[in-house]
Amino acid sequence: MVNLKKYNGVLRYFGLILTFFLIFSCAERKYYVTKIEAKDFGVTNKYNSDEAIDSFIKPYREHIDTELNTPVSYAPETLDKSGKHQTTIGNLLADVTLQKGNAIFSTRENKQLDICLLNNGGIRSIIPKGNVTLKTAFEIMPFENTAIVVALKGEQILEMLKLFITENKPHPLAGIQFTISKSNQPINIQIQDKPLDTNKIYYVITSDYLSNGGDKMDFFKKGIEKYDINYKLRNILIDYFKETKTITSTRDQRIILE
């Protein structure tokens, strides 16, 4: 004869065990990282010689090479970075950036640019005498810097010129002229052919790198306002090349020694 009481007790315990099992099996599991492994995969010649990859890339590479090496302008002389306070290529880049940047800034903000300041170290090549191509622009400006307009007070313009004198580097300048006195102070400062007004706000176009205080240009961080005109410095140069048959640099005196 079957002992039903004992049998029902077994079923009850079995039910409890099964319930606990279902609860814990459905609970959210937490996983932890216990070990991280890494392995280097070197790029060897077998990847470079892969005919399938090369044949796939070849038409794109040839198209880019053709476009980059097609002459778009002409330089009657070489423009480079030689010079103590000014350079031929620096004057050109500053003038072009000020001109083309102002076309966008004045339209968007209904304001006029006053000054352009770039850094000498950002110019990585020359404009050689002869045909000028788009590749030339990439060689001169290989970085992805964009044009930024910073609103500066007149006192920050003074800081700018004092740093210019202290650094003694031919940073590209446009829209401004000044004299370095015998005591190494900026005097006779003219901005857009008008004397510097320390109470006025001036709009200076520069690179995003400098606008954040790069190359010790901390005065940019004191700017009242910044405007990103969404125009790469390299693209400014490319557009200028495409629009200009003969490339020349202005040789006016922007920095004068007393």
Side-chain angles (χ1 to χ4, degrees):
M1 186 174 185
V2 178
N3 189 337
L4 293 177
K5 184 177 180 181
K6 184 177 180 181
Y7 181 71
N8 289 335
V10 171
L11 287 177
R12 184 168 62 253
Y13 285 117
F14 178 75
L16 288 173
I17 293 171
L18 182 61
T19 301
F20 279 114
F21 176 76
L22 290 174
I23 290 173
F24 285 106
S25 65
C26 295
E28 181 181 355
R29 296 184 180 183
K30 295 183 178 180
Y31 298 91
Y32 302 91
V33 177
T34 58
K35 182 171 63 174
I36 299 176
E37 294 182 349
K39 186 176 181 181
D40 291 332
F41 292 91
V43 178
T44 61
N45 290 334
K46 71 175 184 178
Y47 295 105
N48 295 329
S49 61
D50 191 307
E51 294 182 2
I53 295 177
D54 187 66
S55 61
F56 177 79
I57 295 175
K58 185 178 179 181
Y60 300 97
R61 182 175 61 239
E62 290 177 347
H63 174 74
I64 292 173
D65 288 343
T66 299
E67 186 172 351
L68 288 178
N69 291 297
T70 300
V72 291
S73 188
Y74 178 81
E77 62 177 336
T78 296
L79 305 181
D80 57 28
K81 296 201 298 181
S82 61
K84 185 176 181 180
H85 295 296
Q86 294 177 235
T87 69
T88 52
I89 194 169
N91 283 3
L92 174 70
L93 295 179
D95 286 343
V96 171
T97 303
L98 185 62
Q99 175 190 354
K100 298 192 77 61
N102 190 57
I104 295 176
F105 184 67
S106 60
T107 300
R108 292 182 183 176
E109 305 296 334
N110 197 29
K111 298 179 177 70
Q112 296 292 317
L113 292 180
D114 298 294
I115 301 170
C116 174
L117 171 63
L118 303 174
N119 60 323
N120 184 62
I123 306 172
R124 294 307 176 113
S125 187
I126 64 172
I127 298 178
K129 178 180 179 179
N131 290 330
V132 176
T133 66
L134 299 187
K135 186 178 180 181
T136 307
F138 280 87
E139 291 171 343
I140 294 170
M141 294 184 169
F143 310 112
E144 299 299 312
N145 293 115
T146 58
I148 301 291
V149 176
V150 185
L152 294 179
K153 293 181 180 178
E155 57 193 63
Q156 272 77 63
I157 301 299
L158 280 174
E159 289 182 42
M160 174 199 300
L161 300 183
K162 288 178 181 179
L163 178 67
F164 192 99
I165 295 171
T166 302
E167 290 284 294
N168 197 28
K169 294 179 181 179
H171 295 308
L173 275 174
I176 186 170
Q177 182 189 65
F178 68 99
T179 299
I180 301 175
S181 71
K182 292 179 181 178
S183 58
N184 277 336
Q185 294 298 315
I187 59 175
N188 302 328
I189 304 165
Q190 297 281 319
I191 299 175
Q192 295 296 331
D193 298 322
K194 295 180 181 179
L196 170 69
D197 183 351
T198 54
N199 296 315
K200 184 179 176 180
I201 301 300
Y202 292 95
Y203 296 95
V204 183
I205 187 168
T206 186
S207 70
D208 53 344
Y209 169 66
L210 297 182
S211 73
N212 292 319
D215 269 6
K216 302 179 182 178
M217 297 191 186
D218 293 330
F219 51 84
F220 275 125
K221 294 192 288 186
K222 300 176 184 178
I224 298 173
E225 197 166 3
K226 288 185 180 181
Y227 307 82
D228 185 350
I229 63 173
N230 299 311
Y231 204 174
K232 290 185 184 298
L233 293 178
R234 185 198 305 124
N235 290 346
I236 290 176
L237 190 57
I238 287 174
D239 290 343
Y240 169 75
F241 284 168
K242 288 181 176 180
E243 296 166 3
T244 310
K245 291 184 178 180
T246 304
I247 295 173
T248 58
S249 176
T250 305
R251 283 178 163 78
D252 57 337
Q253 275 195 304
R254 303 175 189 191
I255 298 93
I256 303 167
L257 296 179
E258 188 177 46

